[in-house]
Amino acid sequence: MLPRNANTRYARFINDMQQCNPQVKVVGLTATPYRLDSGMLHEGKDRLFDGIAHDIPVADLMEKGFLCPVISKGGLRQIDLSGVQKRGGEFVEADLARAASDPELVAATVTEIVTLGADRNGWLVFSSGVEHARMLAEGIREYGHSVGVVTGDLGSTERAQILSDFKAGRLRCIVNCNVLTTGFDAPNVDLVAIVRATASTGLYVQIVGRGTRLHKDKENCLVLDYGENVARHGFIDQIKPKRASGSGDGEAPVKACPSCQTYLPTAVRVCPKCDHQFPEPELNHGRGRQARHAACDVSLRPDER
């Protein structure tokens, strides 16, 4: 992701090229053309690009069979973010790790991952911290599953071996901390567990995107969300990132089915996964009409209520 800071290597290189040739053209290729702090890369005061020349929505790629469909479920127990502060627009890692490492929460999370992942082959888990990653891995191992842990302090040889074993099916699960968000291609991933929270739309898309690769042995990828990320950002094929104008900061129009925890568009009345029927929406104007009459001390006949 390109930062706004003009002193970055990318910015200095582009500036030097423009000094050599004022007519130089700068073209960017990315699946996430937005920043956490300022939104779209072609908008705002310090924008690097003038516009988007070509855009292929994720929904189109899924519909045409270039990406694997995603099913999103909210964990029965979510990380309590009430005491987690933000810095630079993102959740403070130490606060988040502390909140996510509650032993009861970890145990419940592990049980749910193992249960819902029983018929899935490759589990990729994103933790809130290094020690949290180890807690999750140990819990999954206690259920008899093979797990590798990948963190930033892991040696390159050992990391390469873990990734190789996972892609070959010798490991059922990898738990990682801030490592496998970009540049990691394992088509066999059919379960992504986001056991962390992020305010970055780009990071959220990158995480979920690890499970959208096509593979002969999977029909879809199950995303288990324990940090309210889907509710915060929306479905991966309906992302509306922050704009320079300030729009795009509202809550995503999704809801969780109370029976199976599948995330659904708010307009859905029947869950396609478990057939749960949502109650018909109440008419606010109807309640308002009665309230206004009551305030004016006007009695309504039963047929007018």
Side-chain angles (χ1 to χ4, degrees):
M1 186 63 67
L2 292 172
R4 287 192 301 171
N5 191 334
N7 292 320
T8 63
R9 182 176 59 182
Y10 283 116
R12 292 198 304 270
F13 174 76
I14 292 172
N15 183 67
D16 290 345
M17 291 297 293
Q18 290 173 333
Q19 293 295 323
C20 295
N21 178 9
Q23 302 301 316
V24 69
K25 304 299 181 183
V26 179
V27 178
L29 304 174
T30 179
T32 51
Y34 27 79
R35 299 189 186 99
L36 170 60
D37 56 353
S38 59
M40 303 298 291
L41 289 174
H42 67 289
E43 296 180 350
K45 177 183 176 181
D46 299 312
R47 63 181 183 270
L48 290 171
F49 305 99
D50 297 324
I52 296 179
H54 184 64
D55 180 31
I56 304 178
V58 171
D60 289 356
L61 293 173
M62 288 182 174
E63 183 177 346
K64 294 176 181 177
F66 294 106
L67 290 178
C68 176
V70 169
I71 299 172
S72 300
K73 288 181 180 286
L76 289 173
R77 290 192 56 180
Q78 297 285 305
I79 300 170
D80 182 2
L81 301 175
S82 60
V84 180
Q85 300 184 31
K86 286 185 177 180
R87 185 183 300 125
E90 181 61 292
F91 295 104
V92 175
E93 186 173 323
D95 291 352
L96 180 59
R98 190 179 306 111
S101 297
D102 173 74
E104 291 186 4
L105 176 60
V106 171
T109 299
V110 166
T111 298
E112 195 166 26
I113 292 173
V114 170
T115 301
L116 296 180
D119 60 348
R120 295 181 177 269
N121 299 314
W123 309 346
L124 182 58
V125 180
F126 291 85
S127 72
S128 297
V130 173
E131 185 56 36
H132 182 230
R134 294 177 178 134
M135 293 174 68
L136 291 168
E138 183 58 33
I140 293 173
R141 288 193 189 100
E142 290 179 359
Y143 278 90
H145 298 289
S146 53
V147 187
V149 178
V150 176
T151 62
D153 56 2
L154 190 67
S156 59
T157 300
E158 188 176 359
R159 178 190 299 188
Q161 185 61 57
I162 290 175
L163 300 185
S164 175
D165 287 344
F166 178 71
K167 293 178 182 180
R170 292 186 291 271
L171 283 177
R172 183 77 172 273
C173 174
I174 287 182
V175 182
N176 86 104
C177 177
N178 297 326
V179 175
L180 304 180
T181 53
T182 60
F184 176 59
D185 184 21
N188 61 310
V189 172
D190 53 3
L191 185 153
V192 173
I194 316 176
V195 198
R196 58 162 298 167
T198 179
S200 169
T201 302
L203 179 57
Y204 164 71
V205 172
Q206 293 285 5
I207 288 174
V208 177
R210 299 311 99 194
T212 60
R213 304 299 196 268
L214 300 178
H215 190 275
K216 61 182 181 62
D217 293 330
K218 72 178 187 184
E219 295 181 1
N220 54 56
C221 178
L222 175 62
V223 173
L224 301 179
D225 179 22
Y226 297 90
E228 303 175 7
N229 298 289
V230 178
R232 187 177 302 112
H233 301 288
F235 299 114
I236 189 176
D237 59 343
Q238 299 175 19
I239 291 294
K240 293 183 179 180
K242 176 181 178 180
R243 311 296 299 227
S245 61
S247 63
D249 293 331
E251 187 172 306
V254 302
K255 63 184 178 184
C257 172
S259 296
C260 69
Q261 296 304 111
T262 299
Y263 279 116
L264 304 166
T266 53
V268 170
R269 301 264 65 87
V270 178
C271 177
K273 298 300 177 184
C274 69
D275 295 326
H276 171 82
Q277 294 191 2
F278 291 87
E280 290 296 322
E282 296 181 352
L283 299 177
N284 292 326
H285 65 272
R287 295 201 306 271
R289 177 172 178 266
Q290 291 188 31
R292 287 193 299 273
H293 279 294
C296 296
D297 195 24
V298 175
S299 297
L300 298 177
R301 297 193 310 272
D303 60 338
E304 291 182 317
R305 294 184 183 272

